[in-house]
Amino acid sequence: MSDEHRSLPVMQPDSGHTDEGQIPPIVRFLPLQKALDLARANSLWPLTFGIACCAIEMMAASASRYDTDRFGAGVFRNSPRQADLMIVAGTVNMKMAPIIRRLYDQMPAPKYVIALGSCAICGGPFDQDENYAVVQGVDKVVPVDIFVPGCPPRPEALINAILELQERIKSGQTHSSRV
Amino acid sequence: MSIVEIIIRLIIAFGAVFTFVALNALFLVWLERKVSALIQQRLGPTEVGPAGLLQTLADAVKLMGKELITPTAVSRTVFFLAPIIAFLPAPLLVAAIPIAKGVGVSDLNVGALYILAISNIALLGILMAGWSSNNKYSLLGAMRAVAQNISYEIPMLLSLLAIILMAGSMKFSDIVKAQETVPFVLLQPVAFIIYFICSIAESNRTPFDIPEAESELVAGYHTEFTGMRFALFFLAEYTQVFVLSAIVTLLFLGGWNGPLLPPAVWFFLKTYLVIFVVMWLRWTYPRLRSDQLMNFNWKMLLPAAILNLLISSVIYRGGFPG
Amino acid sequence: MSDSETTVALEIKPTAYQQQLLDLLSSLHLAGIQLSDFSKTGVDFDAVANSETLPAAASALRDNGFALDCILGIDRNPGLEAVYLFRPFADGARVRIRAQVAPDRALLPTITGIYSGADWYEREVHDMFGIVFEGHSHLRPLLLPHFTNFHPLRKNFHGSPIVIPEDTVEIPEVDLQAAMKLGQTDRTHRDFFLNMGPQHPSTHGVLRILLHVEGEEVLGGRCHLGYSHRGTEKLAEKKQYVQILPYTDRMDYLAPLNYNWGYAALLERATGIESTPRAEAIRVAIGELARVSSHLVWLGTFMLDLGAITPFLFCFEDRERILTVFERATGQRMTTSYIVVGGVRNDVYDGFIQDVRDLLDYMRKRLPEYDRLVMTNEIFLQRTRGVGVITAQQARDQGVTGPVLRGSGVDFDLRRDEPYCPLYQELKWNVVVEQEGDCLARSRVRMREMDESLNLIEQALERIEEGPYRAKIPRNFKVNAGEYYSATEGPRGMVGWYLVADGSMTPYRLKVRVPSFPNLQVVESLIPHSRVADVVAILGSVDVVIPEIDR
Ligand code: SF4
């Protein structure tokens, strides 16, 4: 657990999990790296973590009609230790922000973040000067790979985001891949 | 048998068992996702490989490539050992299961007893995992798992005894041979039901999945485990499902006996049918509460098992067990 | 009572029942007792209390069968005011008692000893306005983080964001002790604290419950809210009336239409604008659809809590069908903003009636299936029967409403008892009541309510007649100065809206009384001496939406 980065705003990688120096050398081997990336892209286990309205659309995306399981992203894990993908679905407020950071720190590398909905992007409808409670964008707390606009975004948008994230993982353009 | 031959045999056996354990788990996870999808009006994995067959491979490779986190407050040695100990019985169990007459790593003459004895080692791994994690959910999950498995062991053993009583042997091939005409499921329906329920409970699956009860305990005893360590638990769980179903097949469904098709095919057909039923149950039922689970065991299953043993000893052995 | 020279200013002739209540109120040393016009303000009786008379008044009202609707604060600038709303379940007569305090000496006696449901309300008012309730045992921030040092709903507060100090995740020691007291035991070596949430699969969002457990048995627990607090009520004071509508969607995202409706009903009451007959029929049809879809989500997530995954997916699939109709009619799946003052925002599309009829046929086939799959399942019955019993008196004290209340044997439904839409009076339907008060009864109420809703929709469809779908409303929408209250029946219970208008285009204060708030509070009192698995079941059975509570 990183203790020094718990306060807001934080954007550095946490204590060594994603540090470049700490990656075992075997992963530097290119074909293996490619195979690993392919596997990672095709097996994104999201963390069960809904905050507000957008979470319902996230649930809808995993339910029968949209079924993210088709792309290997339907295994919702309740424990951050076993999740690869954090979908921040909803409004993040000041009370919640440290917890999101802690959850992110608890996830094992490589880890990815999707900011779902305008609240997670910029505070959404609560993006007002006088709002005392809402964090204006979850990227102030954790590094975000994909932003999905909408209030709430449709499930298709989330699926699109997952596909886009897969592409980025394969081409090594995420915060977690060191390219 | 020369020493070289023994070593070669050992290597082959090891290779076969581990390959089987790995492939079986991969297949079962895929099957589980497909079966659940079927029940839930979904498609399940479709995109990775034909019909999503490579999905679980991707999962496995990904888990291998994940960072291994050892939280600061855990008890390190125990935390390190727990998944290994939980996984260890899986290959040992698979090794003792004959697939057809004379096919299999070894057909022990105490096969049934061996299975019961070895499968409990996994419990130690679970307990170690829960205790060492320094996480209350893990601890609760482990406590539940131990309590549940130890209590369900008893009716399981008793119903097993009824079968041994009938076959007159603890060797699987003898038990299967005894069912050549009539499978024991018809002669011992009560024992079958009890054994089946207990084996679901032993493998911690719904409606008896309280040790990892997702909605209560987050992920139960393996909450804190990442990457490969978590995968080992997973592997162990699915191998256990296979082993328990295989034993149900051997003990009650006539093992590899069957017309036309070769015996090994019959064996796998029956086993996977049982696995399918287990999955079906999982995706249909809610979960019991821990005390209800215990009540069910001690107040229903155990008396029924004892009664069943008594009655069958009277009917089949003229009142003298053994 | 000779010393209570109360001014009973009568504008309206009281009925016998009202006279009785007036007599009661005047015997309570209250000042400024007034009969008010319900159809205009949503309140029947007004009275003013002070620190001395407040507890006595509350306890007299409780003895006469009144339930606590809500407590809210208003910053009169200068001067703070706490408003208490009471209502008996039987005949409707809402009593409003005001208590004024000075901002620098904001002290009021607590009424938690009389109404246990006042607990969280008082904490919220303390959070937002800084009114201190003397005698309250646990007056800690409820919605705001525990380190905040300002009161956001005071008028002199101008939104500086909260600054988070280091090390905020740790549980404050005070909380631990308070939680321990809940368990009524001393700390032994066998008990421990179990922290559920805010990230936990079955807290339905970002609720956090701190449980004090011994093995599997729960000795006590405390809910921590505010992880989804978004400051909507403060925002509303900066927004014009029409601009507030979208925020109502986002409070209860499972049934946004019912919230739209509640807000529209409030403004209609405040301005006297009446919606058109066509709009009323559309509202009933679509509002009941929203109720069905919300109950479906409840069923799915409740079963998820109990460990059955498949019903969840079935329910969501059915819900998708309803959402498709919503999307075609309103343009959005979830955040609809559809029901507006004077009617609905746009007319329904051509095939709407046929689509809804098809949906009805489909749902009529599905509901018996759920009965077979879930409601008669032996394990389900075992998990829910006799678990989490709420008695009628408890429900009244806590201010519980909606299906939870009806599951406790209280026959109360605002659609019938405080009509906000004439159609509910004319159509044929029943209020569903179950007596037992346990998780099973609550589930049965909801399942049967879905049936009733389908009936209502069917009848409402026939009433969709030609005509305008929306009444004319003035361009610069304003509300005359005054105070208005309006309550509607959402899927989770009473959604009350309290508006203080100053005649401008923005509200002076808008308070939403949300049903999940007291409904969740009752969970806290059900937790002791249950099991960990029961906590999850109880929480699932009362069906809470966290952003609605946190606002
Ligand atoms: S983006 Fe919109 S729908 Fe999503 S959480 Fe924010 S307000 Fe709700």
Side-chain angles (χ1 to χ4, degrees):
Chain A
M1 279 305 309
S2 86
D3 282 309
E4 65 264 54
H5 301 308
R6 203 176 285 142
S7 58
L8 281 178
V10 188
M11 268 293 296
Q12 301 104 328
D14 54 280
S15 62
H17 295 166
T18 48
D19 254 358
E20 293 202 19
Q22 304 243 337
I23 297 301
I26 190 162
V27 197
R28 297 261 190 228
F29 182 51
L30 200 63
L32 192 61
Q33 177 74 54
K34 278 258 177 299
L36 262 180
D37 279 347
L38 195 65
R40 281 168 182 162
N42 282 311
S43 159
L44 289 168
W45 293 359
L47 178 66
T48 318
F49 181 47
I51 307 176
C53 349
C54 282
I56 303 293
E57 286 297 63
M58 179 175 81
M59 283 151 83
S62 70
S64 304
R65 181 160 304 194
Y66 299 99
D67 194 13
T68 47
D69 201 22
R70 287 179 296 158
F71 312 99
V75 188
F76 277 84
R77 298 302 315 175
N78 297 323
S79 163
R81 300 281 189 211
Q82 291 139 22
D84 314 303
L85 170 64
M86 176 190 256
I87 303 178
V88 184
T91 323
V92 180
N93 71 4
M94 293 294 182
K95 205 170 177 179
M96 196 65 207
I99 290 157
I100 290 187
R101 181 68 207 183
R102 171 175 268 210
L103 284 170
Y104 181 78
D105 287 347
Q106 282 174 337
M107 285 163 61
K111 44 195 167 184
Y112 316 99
V113 179
I114 290 180
L116 187 69
S118 35
C119 278
I121 296 174
C122 63
F126 306 96
D127 167 31
Q128 305 293 331
D129 293 343
E130 299 238 343
N131 199 319
Y132 54 92
V134 173
V135 176
Q136 308 293 318
V138 74
D139 54 341
K140 293 201 170 68
V141 190
V142 291
V144 178
D145 289 307
I146 308 271
F147 295 91
V148 191
C151 183
R154 295 181 57 94
E156 290 96 330
L158 177 57
I159 290 177
N160 188 27
I162 288 172
L163 295 180
E164 177 69 30
L165 181 60
Q166 292 186 345
E167 287 308 313
R168 291 210 189 167
I169 295 172
K170 282 184 214 159
S171 56
Q173 291 171 356
T174 58
H175 283 285
S176 265
S177 35
R178 307 138 304 278
V179 177
Chain B
M1 225 190 291
S2 74
I3 216 114
V4 179
E5 204 187 330
I6 292 178
I7 290 176
I8 290 176
R9 271 167 165 260
L10 257 181
I11 290 174
I12 292 178
F14 261 122
V17 165
F18 275 98
T19 322
F20 180 77
V21 166
L23 284 183
N24 173 64
L26 287 184
F27 176 70
L28 279 190
V29 176
W30 174 83
L31 188 71
E32 175 115 78
R33 284 166 85 165
K34 278 296 189 188
V35 168
S36 69
L38 183 75
I39 292 174
Q40 296 164 348
Q41 313 174 322
R42 298 188 290 130
L43 287 174
T46 54
E47 297 298 308
V48 192
L53 262 174
L54 296 182
Q55 179 62 57
T56 41
L57 188 66
D59 289 344
V61 174
K62 176 208 74 179
L63 281 175
M64 279 186 233
K66 281 250 104 124
E67 178 191 12
L68 286 181
I69 295 179
T70 311
T72 34
V74 301
S75 159
R76 280 175 177 268
T77 331
V78 185
F79 190 78
F80 175 75
L81 282 177
I84 299 174
I85 291 188
F87 173 70
L88 201 64
L92 291 179
L93 290 173
V94 170
I97 290 179
I99 297 166
K101 192 159 176 49
V103 187
V105 176
S106 77
D107 188 8
L108 297 174
N109 54 2
V110 285
L113 192 66
Y114 171 85
I115 294 274
L116 274 183
I118 295 292
S119 64
N120 267 355
I121 296 179
L123 203 54
L124 186 63
I126 291 177
L127 185 61
M128 285 165 71
W131 183 81
S132 67
S133 293
N134 190 28
N135 177 320
K136 288 155 187 170
Y137 289 116
S138 305
L139 187 62
L140 268 181
M143 276 169 12
R144 285 177 173 192
V146 173
Q148 170 182 344
N149 282 33
I150 287 182
S151 7
Y152 273 79
E153 200 94 309
I154 300 166
M156 192 172 182
L157 190 75
L158 288 175
S159 56
L160 184 70
L161 269 183
I163 297 300
I164 294 172
L165 189 83
M166 295 190 65
S169 165
M170 286 202 265
K171 195 171 178 173
F172 281 125
S173 51
D174 291 346
I175 297 176
V176 172
K177 204 158 151 234
Q179 307 180 57
E180 246 159 13
T181 42
V182 193
F184 282 155
V185 60
L186 298 178
L187 300 176
Q188 286 281 8
V190 180
F192 171 70
I193 292 169
I194 294 172
Y195 193 90
F196 188 60
I197 291 175
C198 291
S199 44
I200 297 175
E202 289 276 297
S203 54
N204 299 339
R205 294 175 70 85
T206 322
F208 304 104
D209 63 338
I210 58 158
E212 37 201 294
E214 297 224 317
S215 55
E216 297 150 29
L217 299 186
V218 182
Y221 54 83
H222 53 61
T223 305
E224 290 289 342
F225 288 86
T226 53
M228 218 37 224
R229 293 183 185 146
F230 165 66
L232 280 183
F233 282 114
F234 223 61
L235 215 57
E237 186 190 322
Y238 277 92
T239 313
Q240 200 177 20
V241 171
F242 172 80
V243 169
L244 288 164
S245 307
I247 293 169
V248 169
T249 309
L250 289 173
L251 295 184
F252 294 98
L253 302 180
W256 51 78
N257 291 327
L260 296 178
L261 298 174
V265 175
W266 269 112
F267 172 78
F268 279 111
L269 258 183
K270 288 177 183 172
T271 307
Y272 281 101
L273 188 73
V274 175
I275 292 176
F276 174 75
V277 174
V278 172
M279 289 178 176
W280 188 2
L281 286 178
R282 168 166 183 187
W283 296 106
T284 312
Y285 279 113
R287 152 188 331 124
L288 281 165
R289 210 172 58 199
S290 47
D291 58 324
Q292 291 166 345
L293 188 95
M294 289 297 170
N295 281 347
F296 179 63
N297 178 49
W298 295 106
K299 292 185 185 159
M300 307 266 298
L301 287 185
L302 190 60
I306 293 176
L307 217 63
N308 181 55
L309 183 60
L310 273 177
I311 293 173
S312 40
S313 62
V314 169
I315 295 178
Y316 296 111
R317 284 285 157 117
F320 299 101
Chain C
M1 297 290 160
S2 55
D3 54 332
S4 69
E5 282 315 312
T6 50
T7 46
V8 187
L10 292 184
E11 296 153 7
I12 319 147
K13 186 107 192 73
T15 61
Y17 171 68
Q18 287 172 331
Q19 189 57 53
Q20 211 182 328
L21 276 179
L22 276 178
D23 293 344
L24 171 73
L25 288 177
S26 31
S27 71
L28 293 172
H29 306 261
L30 297 175
I33 300 176
Q34 239 174 21
L35 203 58
S36 130
D37 184 359
F38 182 83
S39 63
K40 289 217 182 76
T41 61
V43 177
D44 296 81
F45 298 97
D46 251 326
V48 178
N50 54 27
S51 319
E52 279 89 59
T53 53
L54 181 64
S59 81
L61 285 173
R62 180 178 182 268
D63 293 342
N64 280 281
F66 277 79
L68 179 67
D69 247 18
C70 141
I71 302 174
L72 61 124
I74 300 170
D75 184 359
R76 293 286 177 194
N77 200 19
L80 299 170
E81 186 174 297
V83 175
Y84 296 73
L85 291 171
F86 300 93
R87 188 189 199 291
F89 287 134
D91 320 85
R94 188 168 280 115
V95 175
R96 168 170 61 198
I97 296 184
R98 305 160 181 281
Q100 267 141 357
V101 286
D104 48 343
R105 240 192 79 79
L107 285 177
L108 275 178
T110 178
I111 60 165
T112 45
I114 303 154
Y115 282 101
S116 43
D119 186 350
W120 285 11
Y121 284 122
E122 289 182 355
R123 281 173 70 189
E124 191 196 334
V125 173
H126 174 245
D127 261 16
M128 297 297 169
F129 293 92
I131 298 180
V132 175
F133 291 89
E134 282 176 310
H136 192 295
S137 61
H138 190 71
L139 202 61
R140 297 177 46 74
L142 180 72
L143 299 179
L144 299 177
H146 63 267
F147 45 78
T148 28
N149 51 2
F150 53 79
H151 304 295
L153 283 182
R154 284 204 184 180
K155 287 288 173 190
N156 59 9
F157 171 77
H158 295 290
S160 47
I162 298 170
V163 182
I164 302 190
E166 290 285 311
D167 208 30
T168 48
V169 184
E170 307 320 323
I171 305 159
E173 196 52 37
V174 193
D175 260 8
L176 282 176
Q177 281 159 8
M180 234 155 61
K181 270 206 207 88
L182 273 182
Q184 287 140 5
T185 44
D186 293 328
R187 187 145 198 201
T188 63
H189 61 283
R190 302 198 314 187
D191 62 340
F192 56 94
F193 290 96
L194 189 64
N195 183 41
M196 273 173 81
Q199 185 264 337
H200 186 279
S202 54
T203 49
H204 297 256
V206 282
L207 167 67
R208 170 170 165 209
I209 308 181
L210 188 62
L211 294 175
H212 182 204
V213 292
E214 184 178 330
E216 284 278 330
E217 196 187 342
V218 182
L219 302 174
R222 213 177 251 294
C223 297
H224 291 243
L225 305 174
Y227 291 98
S228 186
H229 178 62
R230 315 194 261 203
T232 313
E233 284 175 9
K234 184 75 180 176
L235 271 179
E237 293 173 10
K238 301 284 174 303
K239 298 270 176 191
Q240 296 179 7
Y241 286 103
V242 276
Q243 288 177 314
I244 293 169
L245 182 65
Y247 291 96
T248 65
D249 294 330
R250 284 153 183 83
M251 263 179 233
D252 181 354
Y253 42 73
L254 292 185
L257 283 156
N258 299 69
Y259 265 63
N260 297 163
W261 196 352
Y263 182 63
L266 169 79
L267 294 186
E268 278 161 18
R269 171 165 285 163
T271 55
I273 296 175
E274 280 194 11
S275 76
T276 63
R278 181 179 173 86
E280 288 293 346
I282 295 176
R283 281 177 177 187
V284 171
I286 212 157
E288 292 301 319
L289 265 184
R291 188 182 309 275
V292 174
S293 81
S294 165
H295 282 357
L296 280 174
V297 175
W298 157 78
L299 178 65
T301 48
F302 183 38
M303 290 315 287
L304 213 54
D305 293 343
L306 296 183
I309 299 160
T310 303
F312 168 77
L313 288 133
F314 282 11
C315 292
F316 258 71
E317 174 56 26
D318 292 354
R319 181 171 172 270
E320 283 297 332
R321 291 178 191 238
I322 298 179
L323 290 194
T324 313
V325 172
F326 283 174
E327 190 173 18
R328 292 193 70 185
T330 73
Q332 252 287 15
R333 286 157 54 88
M334 278 170 55
T335 43
T336 49
S337 298
Y338 183 60
I339 298 178
V340 296
V341 194
V344 291
R345 198 185 58 228
N346 51 278
D347 207 351
V348 290
Y349 60 97
D350 280 345
F352 174 76
I353 294 181
Q354 192 49 45
D355 276 3
V356 178
R357 288 230 165 92
D358 293 347
L359 201 58
L360 287 182
D361 290 343
Y362 172 78
M363 283 309 296
R364 290 227 163 93
K365 284 201 214 77
R366 289 293 274 192
L367 288 182
E369 224 170 279
Y370 289 128
D371 271 342
R372 283 209 310 279
L373 178 69
V374 177
M375 303 304 288
T376 53
N377 183 313
E378 184 55 37
I379 298 179
F380 174 79
L381 294 177
Q382 287 230 356
R383 285 295 304 276
T384 52
R385 190 178 280 140
V387 172
V389 179
I390 305 174
T391 60
Q393 184 56 45
Q394 206 176 354
R396 198 170 312 217
D397 288 351
Q398 298 266 7
V400 167
T401 48
V404 183
L405 178 69
R406 293 193 281 276
S408 296
V410 180
D411 188 2
F412 178 69
D413 191 321
L414 286 166
R415 286 175 288 175
R416 183 195 62 198
D417 299 328
E418 203 178 301
Y420 52 96
C421 166
L423 269 190
Y424 282 127
Q425 250 57 39
E426 296 161 22
L427 304 181
K428 274 220 282 296
W429 61 289
N430 301 313
V431 175
V432 182
V433 183
E434 295 271 345
Q435 299 300 328
E436 292 82 3
D438 53 5
C439 294
L440 183 60
R442 292 193 275 281
S443 312
R444 289 211 171 117
V445 167
R446 290 207 182 82
M447 294 305 286
R448 281 170 54 205
E449 249 178 39
M450 281 200 257
D451 270 333
E452 294 294 337
S453 288
L454 294 185
N455 290 341
L456 272 171
I457 297 167
E458 188 165 40
Q459 297 171 50
L461 285 183
E462 278 154 23
R463 305 290 284 266
I464 300 185
E465 53 196 61
E466 287 303 311
Y469 60 89
R470 187 177 180 180
K472 283 247 171 315
I473 59 162
R475 234 157 195 282
N476 289 332
F477 187 86
K478 284 193 181 108
V479 175
N480 292 335
E483 291 185 24
Y484 311 94
Y485 186 76
S486 149
T488 52
E489 182 82 16
R492 269 156 282 281
M494 178 197 280
V495 189
W497 305 75
Y498 195 97
L499 170 67
V500 184
D502 56 0
S504 69
M505 284 168 67
T506 59
Y508 182 79
R509 163 102 170 96
L510 179 69
K511 152 89 188 171
V512 193
R513 182 261 187 228
V514 290
S516 296
F517 193 86
N519 288 11
L520 179 62
Q521 194 178 352
V522 84
V523 171
E524 211 175 60
S525 62
L526 296 179
I527 286 176
H529 307 297
S530 60
R531 291 176 172 269
V532 177
D534 285 342
V535 174
V536 173
I538 296 170
L539 195 60
S541 77
V542 299
D543 185 22
V544 292
V545 169
I546 303 299
E548 173 190 76
I549 300 173
D550 291 351
R551 278 156 288 144

